[in-house]
């Protein structure tokens, strides 16, 4: 696993640049190719709703997905209501002809994922609900190579079990960056970002149709949302890359300086609890995305697991979707008292002065997502809808991970990453990688 064992690291483009380019390309792909499909899918959703049918959203597979659009997210109008408790079987039991489901494919009620195919969306179709899928790295779709997943995951494709499929532009195996010491798979995931660019574009289109009673097909609203997301991403590239690189260098220095200590330094991620059923103790989109996710680094752990053992060599990363959450400020203040390095990302630009999270951290990275709430003013909705704060925050989380990895690779010390456990050979790889991680601490 150690990068030093495979010769000198390759010089080249910083990983944050590579990742940003990939994500911007995905967003443009959705804007340039998927809006007609989004428009038509949301037209069916609008007609179902107008005729008394119910709309369901199960875009829940994936670490970011579980909380990215949960109730309570500022700007979430819940016209495509996520099943935050993940009890999707209760939804299936209610579905009937005239209903509508948006999903990212795999079932969450499968009693034995190792031997039984994922047929979640088929449950809806069997009951007569119109089913729209969003391509997902955890379910077979047209990009998935033959034999790439374990056999049970190759039996059914998203295209086979949905009435319509929207192409999120995600890669089949989550990661998008190749690094010399990990030839088995690509690292740094595109999965959450790609799917929720589609989810929020769908929400924008449906809101416009609802607000105009079907007079406007919503294509313009979907395009506007995607353009605004791209603008946020571009501002991060323009204004935050220097800071992201400085933070990544500091993380590298700290991790390697204390690597020989009795207790290895950790990167601990925190974000305030969101609505939804906790997943392995996590209840926040950024914490969940960082922790044991495919194509993600093993060093990132939930802050709540280690807060009672926090040490000065640790790094605390706080992900925010609002500038002054009291829980996040409390964590930042405590971590600084201990002496840990504290970094935060969030929508800080529009809230200056005392009392914001940025006042209590060593480095604050702006996500350029307004005030963190919705960004589209749509007739019929009292508040702006469709935020970019979650997407921009997710982008920064992966940019930091990518650039820290780049600097570690440059020093011949490639960190360990998780392979998607549905890929052939992943279990064996992850076991070896985790053993190396526990020995080295990164």
């Amino acid at each position: 696993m150690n990068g030093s064992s495979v010769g000198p690291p390759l010089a080249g483009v910083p990983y944050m640049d590579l990742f940003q380019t990939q994500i911007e390309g995905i967003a443009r792909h959705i804007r340039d190719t998927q809006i007609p499909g989004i428009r038509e899918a949301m037209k069916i959703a609008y007609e179902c709703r107008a005729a008394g049918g119910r709309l369901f959203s199960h875009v829940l597979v994936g670490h970011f997905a579980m909380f990215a659009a949960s109730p309570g997210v500022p700007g979430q109008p819940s016209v495509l209501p996520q099943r935050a408790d993940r009890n999707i079987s209760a939804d299936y039991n209610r579905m009937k002809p005239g209903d509508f489901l948006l999903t990212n494919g795999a079932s969450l009620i499968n009693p034995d994922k190792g031997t039984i195919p994922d047929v979640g969306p088929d449950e809806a179709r069997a009951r007569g609900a119109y089913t729209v899928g969003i391509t997902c790295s955890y379910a077979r779709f047209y990009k998935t190579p033959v034999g790439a997943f374990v056999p049970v995951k190759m039996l059914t494709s998203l295209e086979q079990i949905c009435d319509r499929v929207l192409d999120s532009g995600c890669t089949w195996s989550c990661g998008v960056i190749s690094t010399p010491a990990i030839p088995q798979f690509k690292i740094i995931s595109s999965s959450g970002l790609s799917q929720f660019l589609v989810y929020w574009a769908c929400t924008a289109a449906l809101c416009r149709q609802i607000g105009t009673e079907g007079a406007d097909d919503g294509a313009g609203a979907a395009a506007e949302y995607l353009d605004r997301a791209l603008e946020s991403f571009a501002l991060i590239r323009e204004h935050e890359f220097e800071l992201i690189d400085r933070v990544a260098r500091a993380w590298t220095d700290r991790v390697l300086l204390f690597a020989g200590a009795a207790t290895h330094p950790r990167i601990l991620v925190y974000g305030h609890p969101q609505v939804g059923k906790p997943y392995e103790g996590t209840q926040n989109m950024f914490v969940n995305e960082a922790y044991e996710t495919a194509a993600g680094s093993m060093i990132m752990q939930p802050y709540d697991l280690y807060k009672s053992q926090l040490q000065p060599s640790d790094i605390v990363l706080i992900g925010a979707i609002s500038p002054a959450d009291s829980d996040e400020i409390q964590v930042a203040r405590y971590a600084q008292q201990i002496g840990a390095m504290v970094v935060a990302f969030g929508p800080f630009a529009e809230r200056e002065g005392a009392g914001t999270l940025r006042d209590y951290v060593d480095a604050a990275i702006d996500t350029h997502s307004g005030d963190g709430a919705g960004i589209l003013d749509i007739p019929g909705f009292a508040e702006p809808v469709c935020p970019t704060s979650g997407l921009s925050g997710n982008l920064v989380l992966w940019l930091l991970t990518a650039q820290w990895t780049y600097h570690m690779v440059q020093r011949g010390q490639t960190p360990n990453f998780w392979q998607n456990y549905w890929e052939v050979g992943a279990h064996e790889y992850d076991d070896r990688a985790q053993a190396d991680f526990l020995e080295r601490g990164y």
Side-chain angles (χ1 to χ4, degrees):
M1 308 302 166
N2 192 326
S4 60
S5 67
V6 295
L10 298 179
V13 179
Y15 289 179
M16 64 179 178
D17 291 274
L18 294 175
F19 185 68
Q20 177 92 9
T21 298
Q22 289 286 333
I23 296 304
E24 289 176 346
I26 285 171
R28 285 192 292 269
H29 160 80
I30 297 168
R31 184 196 60 193
D32 294 345
T33 70
Q34 298 303 298
I35 287 178
I38 290 171
R39 177 193 65 212
E40 292 305 313
M42 292 305 103
K43 181 179 179 181
I44 292 171
Y46 172 75
E47 291 171 348
C48 287
R49 183 179 185 271
R54 289 167 295 192
L55 309 186
F56 302 91
S57 182
H58 296 166
V59 188
L60 293 164
V61 178
H63 286 232
F64 183 66
M66 292 180 195
F67 303 101
S70 64
V73 169
Q76 167 61 294
S78 290
V79 295
L80 293 167
Q82 288 277 78
R83 185 81 203 202
D85 63 3
R86 303 200 297 282
N87 183 16
I88 64 174
S89 59
D91 283 349
Y92 290 143
N93 290 336
R94 295 193 299 147
M95 286 181 189
K96 64 183 190 308
D99 290 343
F100 176 96
L101 172 66
L102 181 67
T103 179
N104 61 350
S107 172
L108 289 169
I109 59 172
N110 192 331
D112 185 354
K113 290 180 180 291
T115 61
I116 299 175
D118 286 316
V119 294
D122 253 2
E123 296 285 332
R125 293 181 82 196
R127 290 162 172 79
Y130 189 89
T131 304
V132 174
I134 301 175
T135 58
C136 169
S137 300
Y138 299 102
R140 177 186 153 208
F141 67 109
Y142 76 92
K143 289 183 184 177
T144 311
V146 175
F149 287 160
V150 296
V152 70
K153 296 289 286 187
M154 295 300 299
L155 293 176
T156 307
S157 72
L158 193 65
E159 290 85 356
Q160 290 173 308
I161 55 178
C162 293
D163 295 294
R164 176 186 292 273
V165 173
L166 300 173
D167 183 1
S168 73
C170 69
T171 53
W172 72 267
S173 63
C174 295
V176 297
I177 293 176
S178 298
T179 196
I182 309 178
Q184 293 87 346
F185 61 98
K186 293 182 179 181
I187 63 173
I188 315 297
S189 177
S190 69
S191 185
L193 277 158
S194 59
Q195 291 175 84
F196 278 84
L197 283 163
V198 175
Y199 173 88
W200 288 119
C202 286
T203 299
L206 183 55
C207 284
R208 182 64 59 82
Q209 292 191 34
I210 292 170
T212 62
E213 298 183 345
D216 187 321
D217 65 11
E224 182 181 358
Y225 178 80
L226 294 167
D227 285 339
R228 294 282 295 275
L230 277 163
E231 288 171 10
S232 292
F233 298 169
L235 289 170
I236 290 169
R237 182 193 285 272
E238 180 180 356
H239 297 289
E240 309 301 324
F241 264 31
E242 182 179 349
L243 177 56
I244 289 170
D245 184 61
R246 289 205 310 269
V247 168
R249 288 175 185 271
W251 285 5
T252 303
D253 291 341
R254 182 173 286 240
V255 167
L256 295 180
L257 176 64
F258 294 106
T263 303
H264 296 132
R266 298 163 293 225
I267 300 177
L268 304 176
V269 186
Y270 182 78
H272 75 271
Q274 295 178 255
V275 175
K277 180 181 178 182
Y279 177 74
E280 296 185 0
T282 68
Q283 200 171 343
N284 176 276
M285 68 178 98
F286 303 127
V287 180
N288 210 32
E289 180 81 335
Y291 178 47
E292 295 189 354
T293 194
S297 172
M298 291 185 177
I299 198 172
M300 290 191 173
Q301 301 283 325
Y303 168 85
D304 284 339
L305 285 182
Y306 296 98
K307 61 184 177 183
S308 63
Q309 309 163 36
L310 196 63
Q311 56 194 20
S313 59
D314 286 334
I315 297 159
V316 175
L317 176 63
I318 301 174
I321 56 174
S322 57
D325 180 84
S326 59
D327 289 344
E328 292 161 3
I329 290 173
Q330 183 178 4
V331 166
R333 295 180 68 175
Y334 174 71
Q336 283 206 320
Q337 290 172 6
I338 296 296
M341 180 182 181
V342 187
V343 178
F345 57 81
F348 300 133
E350 295 188 10
R351 276 283 296 274
E352 301 289 347
T356 61
L357 176 60
R358 72 183 309 158
D359 298 319
Y360 301 99
V361 300
D362 298 301
I365 301 167
D366 189 18
T367 55
H368 297 275
S369 51
D371 61 2
I375 60 169
L376 300 181
D377 290 309
I378 292 183
F381 291 84
E383 302 290 338
V385 300
C386 300
T388 58
S389 53
L391 289 172
S392 295
N394 188 279
L395 176 62
V396 171
L397 171 65
W398 285 112
L399 288 170
L400 285 166
T401 308
Q403 194 63 0
W404 169 69
T405 303
Y406 172 77
H407 286 299
M408 293 289 287
V409 170
Q410 294 298 102
R411 299 192 198 185
Q413 299 294 327
T414 301
N416 283 292
F417 279 74
W418 297 102
Q419 186 174 8
N420 179 359
Y421 56 70
W422 292 126
E423 295 176 25
V424 172
H427 286 279
E428 295 80 7
Y429 177 86
D430 284 347
D431 287 346
R432 294 193 305 271
Q434 188 174 26
D436 186 69
F437 164 73
L438 293 172
E439 179 181 347
R440 291 195 295 149
Y442 55 84

